[in-house]
Amino acid sequence: MRSRARSALTRVTRHAQAGGVVLDGVGKRYPGRRGEPDVEAVADVDLEVAPGEFVAVVGASGCGKSTLLRILAGFESQTSGVVEVGGRPVTGPGSERGVVFQDYGLFPWLTVRENVTFGPRQRGVPRQTARRHALEVIETVGLSRFTDRFPGELSGGMQQRVAIARVLANDPALLLMDEPFGALDALTRTQMQHELRRIHRETGTTVLLVTHSLEEACYLADRVVVMSGGASHGVPGHVSQVVTVDLGDERDVNGESFNALERRLVAAVHGEESAP
Amino acid sequence: MASLTAGRRGGRTDAALRAALGVGVLLLIVLLWDLGVRGQWVLVFGIKMAFLPPPVEVARLLWDFAFGGLYDDAYSAALWEHLGASTSRVLAGFGLATAIGVPLGVLMGRFVWVNAALDPAVNLFRPIPATAWVPLVLLIIGFGNQATVFLITLSAFFPILLNTLAAVKEVPPRMVEAGRMLGTSGWGILLKVVVPAATPGIVSGLRIGLGLAWVILVLGEANGIDTGLGAMITLAREQVRTDRVVVGMIVIGLAGFLSDRVLVRGLGLLFGRRPLVRA
Ligand SMILES: Nc1ncnc2c1ncn2[C@@H]1O[C@H](COP(=O)(O)OP(=O)(O)O)[C@@H](O)[C@H]1O
Ligand SMILES: [Mg+2]
């Protein structure tokens, strides 16, 4: 069963080439509310993400992590710089860039299966094909027993699995996740991290994960982007450091090297935070 | 498990108690009504209970109105004809109000230009009660069926429109973002995301609209109509048949109540387990 599910996901791999990300001098200025000055959320962000790479973005709240992700998703447009995914400029949301929200954002009036077939059906995939593919994807996130449930009947962790499944059903080249496990309890969170790791390996999809947890970042990412600043600091949010996670494939969260790296990240995040 | 079962049984006892309480109050009202009529009470607002028929008489008349066999007059077993005529007017008006109000509300809630164009007009017309429209309607449409259906449409229209509008505006932006990142745009977002997300609010509007449709029915049917509950009440008043007036009131009240149940049940059948109606 599992192997069939895997084959469904490996089909995605050919799209992964399209998942490279280029941010070049990206800035975002939100118009200020009545009488107030504009909010310069981020400025001069340069970042390249290779196809298939897993990049985590960390930093204090307000430093513009969500803003960057929303620009890549196409929900917002940058006010300066170049934003490209798969070599093409981002002009709006698209099904090749799947977004996983912290609050899941599932359609409560649709069953798990209908939520997962929503994307493919909207793209014109025939009903039967979409259904079959959906069942496979639902299996890979371990929810086969719940296909006919409604989101409101599921736990937070299960809802987030559905949210991941519904974007995977679209064979996305890029997965954008904004603190996806932030609302989950510690145990569920760890489980979800394992699953995300497995899914990333099986699909080869490029992943950009915003997280508050440095451990999560160390455990999952190939590289960790540390952001700092933020409108409330008087400096626009920017990338202050990019840390390569050279821990190999099997990562022991209690291991010596893991902890050393995590400490390095803590220093990077907090050092920037307390700087003038 | 044990506590669960106990909890459920407790819930059932609760429900039974609540039902008994409700029925008890109803019985009390009927009892006071009876006592008041016998004792010729005069209440606040100058309500002279002596002018009311006693409940037993109303019950007999209601029975005869529904099934006949007691008085054998023009109203014996005539309830269904009157009810049918009234119901079809309510349904016509309510259907029309829904057919216009829901799409218009969705468009106003979603497109700023539609909203900008229609908002002032809506706000200008909305405060005019349907009752205030009656004289004008009688002059420009004339007595009869069309005027009645028009008044019902008018009174059901605004709550349906405004509830739909509010529901659409309150659709979480997250729902729209989810739809868009999954590959939907334009009409797909409107029909597959916004409308279902707004459905609980739209249904609330429909229920209010349907209730108002029955309210305005009596006014509409008061003029130039022979068959209908409102017509029957109006005629009874002209003949000073208080008992018949009360019978008509009861039937309209029940009809309004039942139509709401039917609407909710019908939508329940349509939606199945989907959480699309507010609890
Ligand atoms: N729609 C918006 N309008 C105005 N300011 C915004 C908007 N969205 C975010 N901001 C501001 O931009 C800055 C970065 O926000 P955000 O990207 O959400 O940070 P993070 O996700 O890192 O916490 C914050 O100062 C925030 O107040
Ligand atoms: Mg954020």
Side-chain angles (χ1 to χ4, degrees):
Chain A
M1 280 318 245
R2 188 32 76 69
S3 71
R4 203 191 63 195
R6 185 166 296 167
S7 77
L9 284 179
T10 40
R11 266 191 274 132
V12 177
T13 321
R14 71 194 147 83
H15 295 273
Q17 278 79 284
V21 173
V22 174
L23 299 177
D24 186 6
V26 172
K28 175 71 184 179
R29 186 185 282 274
Y30 290 106
R33 293 203 190 87
R34 249 183 276 169
E36 288 181 32
D38 290 357
V39 178
E40 201 167 1
V42 292
D44 295 323
V45 173
D46 301 325
L47 180 70
E48 288 199 21
V49 180
E53 196 178 6
F54 195 129
V55 169
V57 182
V58 300
S61 56
C63 69
K65 307 181 293 293
S66 295
T67 299
L68 274 190
L69 221 72
R70 292 176 57 78
I71 289 172
L72 278 164
F75 297 145
E76 314 271 358
S77 49
Q78 72 275 26
T79 40
S80 58
V82 175
V83 178
E84 286 179 359
V85 174
R88 274 198 235 116
V90 171
T91 54
S95 60
E96 77 288 357
R97 280 163 285 132
V99 183
V100 176
F101 306 99
Q102 179 174 6
D103 57 7
Y104 326 128
L106 297 172
F107 302 128
W109 59 90
L110 298 180
T111 62
V112 167
R113 173 154 38 79
E114 290 164 340
N115 265 286
V116 176
T117 48
F118 185 93
R121 288 292 293 144
Q122 288 301 303
R123 289 184 298 118
V125 175
R127 191 184 299 274
Q128 283 310 316
T129 316
R131 198 188 144 99
R132 221 174 317 117
H133 187 39
L135 292 178
E136 291 170 357
V137 177
I138 289 170
E139 195 189 327
T140 68
V141 297
L143 286 180
S144 295
R145 283 169 50 226
F146 302 95
T147 47
D148 293 322
R149 296 287 189 89
F150 290 93
E153 302 168 345
L154 303 177
S155 71
M158 288 156 94
Q159 290 190 55
Q160 197 56 293
R161 285 164 202 262
V162 179
I164 293 171
R166 79 169 170 184
V167 293
L168 289 181
N170 264 346
D171 294 348
L174 174 62
L175 206 54
L176 298 164
M177 312 179 88
D178 196 349
E179 300 185 32
F181 312 140
L184 305 179
D185 63 86
L187 204 68
T188 312
R189 188 174 180 136
T190 312
Q191 265 174 9
M192 296 297 291
Q193 289 165 359
H194 287 297
E195 300 224 359
L196 178 57
R197 194 166 153 82
R198 178 175 58 77
I199 286 166
H200 174 245
R201 286 180 183 176
E202 287 173 10
T203 59
T205 304
T206 315
V207 180
L208 216 71
L209 169 84
V210 170
T211 177
H212 264 133
S213 162
L214 300 180
E215 183 183 300
E216 184 168 288
C218 281
Y219 178 66
L220 290 168
D222 299 317
R223 280 190 298 154
V224 180
V225 173
V226 181
M227 291 184 68
S228 57
S232 60
H233 291 70
V235 197
H238 57 276
V239 175
S240 64
Q241 208 171 326
V242 179
V243 177
T244 302
V245 184
D246 42 8
L247 293 173
D249 270 355
E250 295 311 317
R251 296 179 188 179
D252 174 11
V253 293
N254 298 312
E256 192 67 33
S257 46
F258 191 97
N259 286 325
L261 193 81
E262 203 180 330
R263 275 196 299 277
R264 233 182 97 197
L265 278 179
V266 172
V269 172
H270 287 277
E272 292 296 337
E273 217 176 323
S274 53
Chain B
M1 201 59 207
S3 73
L4 239 178
T5 321
R8 207 179 303 143
R9 197 180 299 138
R12 204 177 294 149
T13 325
D14 259 20
L17 253 173
R18 264 179 296 204
L21 217 60
V23 172
V25 168
L26 278 177
L27 284 177
L28 189 68
I29 290 174
V30 173
L31 185 73
L32 287 175
W33 168 11
D34 194 53
L35 287 176
V37 173
R38 283 172 205 273
Q40 308 201 341
W41 295 352
V42 177
L43 308 178
V44 279
F45 302 119
I47 298 173
K48 291 168 277 294
M49 294 292 283
F51 289 180
L52 271 184
V56 183
E57 215 161 283
V58 170
R60 283 174 59 86
L61 199 63
L62 182 57
W63 176 276
D64 184 67
F65 190 37
F67 310 112
L70 292 180
Y71 300 107
D72 207 21
D73 57 19
Y75 287 99
S76 296
L79 184 151
W80 312 107
E81 197 191 343
H82 289 286
L83 182 62
S86 290
T87 305
S88 64
R89 288 183 192 110
V90 164
L91 286 185
F94 172 70
L96 215 56
T98 304
I100 307 168
V102 171
L104 213 56
V106 170
L107 294 177
M108 282 179 74
R110 229 9 231 161
F111 301 106
V112 280
W113 288 109
V114 180
N115 194 51
L118 296 180
D119 187 63
V122 166
N123 280 312
L124 206 67
F125 280 98
R126 185 179 55 114
I128 305 174
T131 45
W133 276 88
V134 173
L136 182 68
V137 165
L138 292 183
L139 287 173
I140 61 178
I141 300 182
F143 297 131
N145 203 40
Q146 290 202 66
T148 307
V149 174
F150 175 80
L151 286 171
I152 292 173
T153 307
L154 197 67
S155 58
F157 173 72
F158 285 105
I160 292 175
L161 175 78
L162 295 175
N163 275 276
T164 302
L165 176 60
V168 167
K169 280 188 173 167
E170 279 162 23
V171 170
R174 177 69 83 235
M175 291 290 102
V176 175
E177 286 174 1
R180 291 175 71 200
M181 69 92 186
L182 288 170
T184 319
S185 58
W187 291 105
I189 290 289
L190 197 72
L191 298 176
K192 301 282 173 150
V193 177
V194 172
V195 169
T199 295
I202 296 175
V203 170
S204 295
L206 294 184
R207 293 180 65 183
I208 298 172
L210 185 57
L212 282 177
W214 285 101
V215 168
I216 221 64
L217 175 81
V218 180
L219 258 163
E221 287 183 342
N223 297 289
I225 283 177
D226 299 327
T227 316
L229 295 168
M232 173 234 166
I233 289 185
T234 307
L235 188 64
R237 198 205 70 216
E238 280 161 9
Q239 298 170 340
V240 205
R241 284 294 302 269
T242 323
D243 49 356
R244 246 191 239 307
V245 171
V246 174
V247 165
M249 285 167 65
I250 291 173
V251 174
I252 287 184
L254 285 175
F257 171 74
L258 285 178
S259 64
D260 182 62
R261 297 319 307 157
V262 168
L263 178 68
V264 171
R265 281 285 161 83
L267 290 172
L269 283 179
L270 189 67
F271 297 150
R273 285 172 54 245
R274 292 179 200 282
L276 286 171
V277 180
R278 281 191 192 127

